[in-house]
Amino acid sequence: MTLDRFVLILLWGLSVVLAVIMIPRRKVRIAAIALLFCQALLWVSSLLHSRHDLIQFPVREFPKATDLLVTTEYFFYPFFCALYVIREPMNQSRINWKSLITCVTAATVIDLLLATYTNLVRYENYAWYWTWLVFLVQFLATRYYCCWFFRSSAFISHQEE
């Protein structure tokens, strides 16, 4: 097994363990909506980056089906965003910038490590700060979408207990 395949299995395993440990049963709905919304945003942005030769994914799970890496672009980063969203209070309009910047930076560091030490991601005409900015916009948009989606204060106060 190559290092790339081992890293993919590790990301899936880490995600399952984090899902069991960090997502309370009462916030599963919020996490699911956050994951799906961030997945849609990340899918579009990653396709654009791939089509314009900004990022390449030399090792992919389904090379004939898509130019993207399914594990990171469809699952791991949206899951990471969902973990951020469920940790933020939904009934506050203010953003906890420290938490947001920490999560975005952690996701960017993971992406940078994948680009540096594996063949999973290759930056062609791209830099880490663009990744950080894209993650920031996507995490913010996902949080705002979830706040809008679950705007019923009865549901939010029930979820926050």
Side-chain angles (χ1 to χ4, degrees):
M1 177 182 335
T2 65
L3 173 67
D4 300 326
R5 299 293 177 194
F6 177 74
V7 169
L8 291 176
I9 292 169
L10 183 68
L11 288 174
W12 279 99
L14 180 66
S15 299
V16 169
V17 169
L18 287 176
V20 170
I21 293 172
M22 298 192 71
I23 299 177
R25 184 175 300 270
R26 67 183 187 281
K27 291 193 176 189
V28 168
R29 278 191 219 164
I30 297 172
I33 294 297
L35 184 132
L36 290 172
F37 185 77
C38 186
Q39 192 176 59
L41 291 177
L42 197 58
W43 176 69
V44 170
S45 92
S46 296
L47 275 178
L48 289 173
H49 290 132
S50 179
R51 288 284 175 219
H52 294 291
D53 293 326
L54 300 174
I55 297 177
Q56 290 185 354
F57 302 95
V59 177
R60 301 183 302 270
E61 294 94 341
F62 307 109
K64 293 182 180 179
T66 181
D67 291 335
L68 303 179
L69 185 63
V70 172
T71 298
T72 59
E73 306 304 308
Y74 291 115
F75 183 70
F76 187 73
Y77 296 136
F79 175 73
F80 204 75
C81 180
L83 289 179
Y84 160 72
V85 169
I86 65 168
R87 296 290 173 211
E88 288 292 303
M90 299 279 290
N91 54 1
Q92 291 182 357
S93 60
R94 290 185 329 149
I95 296 171
N96 182 352
W97 288 100
K98 182 179 176 183
S99 173
L100 176 65
I101 290 173
T102 301
C103 287
V104 168
T105 302
T108 304
V109 166
I110 291 169
D111 195 60
L112 194 58
L113 289 173
L114 292 177
T116 304
Y117 296 109
T118 68
N119 292 321
L120 297 174
V121 181
R122 185 181 316 139
Y123 291 168
E124 294 297 327
N125 302 312
Y126 206 68
W128 66 268
Y129 47 84
W130 291 115
T131 301
W132 191 89
L133 189 62
V134 166
F135 281 147
L136 179 72
V137 169
Q138 289 172 347
F139 279 40
L140 277 173
T142 302
R143 183 182 184 281
Y144 282 127
Y145 178 78
C146 287
C147 286
W148 170 81
F149 190 85
F150 296 110
R151 69 182 175 271
S152 167
S153 61
F155 180 77
I156 291 171
S157 63
H158 174 70
Q159 293 293 320
E160 293 296 323
E161 293 174 356

